[in-house]
């Protein structure tokens, strides 16, 4: 089946929020415990570099960027958020989304992308590594989720295009 990547639109929110909720439910995707409303979610992410993967007219994944800081010096540094519908894992959709997000990030002047990924989320760590991210370190017991401490692998990708 063909995957089409296009900009994320407000009409996609129902599908995006369901995919995000499923990610939350895994317990290894985010420290968040609830899906926010559209306005809160929309305000968290950069206006550009918001994409969805479509298969058979359905949203099957999304990827977005958030600024790591509002300071001018960090204007080209963003954090990756990427989720794929649980029914579509293992089909290469994450790689398609991440490669397109990288391309768009460079078109919008981002020189560094970073990701904090639960150490248990091996598939996501490996995906990021396949797309040029490197492990910078592990943040031990960086946060708690449901009373359990979790380590996060901290990964980054430096653009070879944006200097």
């Amino acid at each position: 089946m063909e995957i089409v990547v296009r900009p994320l639109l407000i009409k996609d929110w129902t599908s995006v929020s369901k995919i995000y909720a499923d990610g939350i439910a895994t317990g290894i995707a985010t420290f968040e415990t609830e899906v926010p409303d559209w306005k809160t979610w929309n305000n968290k992410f950069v206006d550009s570099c918001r994409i969805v993967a479509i298969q058979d007219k359905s949203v099957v994944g999304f990827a977005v960027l958030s600024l790591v800081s509002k300071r001018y010096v960090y204007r080209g540094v963003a954090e990756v958020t990427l989720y794929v519908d649980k029914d579509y894992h293992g089909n290469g959709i994450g790689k398609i989304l991440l490669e397109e997000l990288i391309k768009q990030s460079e078109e919008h002047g981002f020189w560094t992308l970073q990701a904090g990924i639960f150490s248990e989320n091996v598939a996501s760590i490996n995906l990021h590594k396949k797309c040029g991210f490197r492990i910078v370190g592990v943040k031990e017991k960086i946060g708690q989720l449901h009373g359990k401490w979790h380590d996060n692998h901290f990964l980054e990708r430096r653009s070879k295009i944006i200097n």
Side-chain angles (χ1 to χ4, degrees):
M1 291 286 157
E2 183 184 7
I3 301 297
V4 175
V5 177
R6 66 157 171 79
L8 188 156
L9 307 170
I10 191 170
K11 71 178 186 175
D12 300 320
W13 177 239
T14 300
S15 298
V16 166
S17 64
K18 180 194 174 303
I19 293 167
Y20 187 53
D22 288 343
I24 290 170
T26 68
I28 62 165
T30 179
F31 285 107
E32 299 296 334
T33 57
E34 295 180 0
V35 176
D37 60 30
W38 165 256
K39 183 178 178 184
T40 303
W41 192 90
N42 185 48
N43 288 333
K44 180 178 178 179
F45 298 102
V46 177
D47 289 337
S48 61
C49 305
R50 295 178 176 203
I51 55 176
V52 291
I54 307 292
Q55 185 176 16
D56 295 330
K57 300 181 183 177
S58 296
V59 174
V60 296
F62 70 92
V64 293
L65 295 179
S66 55
L67 295 177
V68 299
S69 174
K70 293 184 185 215
R71 293 178 56 200
Y72 181 78
V73 69
Y74 296 114
R75 69 194 175 282
V77 183
E79 183 173 356
V80 172
T81 297
L82 186 149
Y83 287 81
V84 174
D85 185 304
K86 64 184 179 183
D87 295 332
Y88 294 85
H89 287 183
N91 293 316
I93 295 167
K95 188 169 189 255
I96 291 168
L97 281 167
L98 190 50
E99 287 175 343
E100 179 62 24
L101 189 66
I102 290 166
K103 179 179 169 260
Q104 288 189 22
S105 74
E106 291 175 332
E107 290 170 356
H108 285 89
F110 289 96
W111 58 78
T112 299
L113 297 181
Q114 61 186 43
I117 304 172
F118 279 51
S119 296
E120 301 93 334
N121 196 343
V122 176
S124 187
I125 292 168
N126 288 337
L127 167 64
H128 283 73
K129 287 169 62 177
K130 285 178 189 172
C131 290
F133 285 72
R134 67 184 179 94
I135 296 173
V136 178
V138 176
K139 296 180 178 183
E140 295 180 5
K141 297 182 180 176
I142 191 69
Q144 278 191 4
L145 181 62
H146 307 301
K148 180 184 175 197
W149 288 100
H150 289 272
D151 297 346
N152 260 353
H153 274 65
F154 186 68
L155 295 92
E156 72 174 15
R157 182 188 182 280
R158 177 69 186 204
S159 173
K160 292 176 179 47
I161 296 170
I162 308 296
N163 291 323

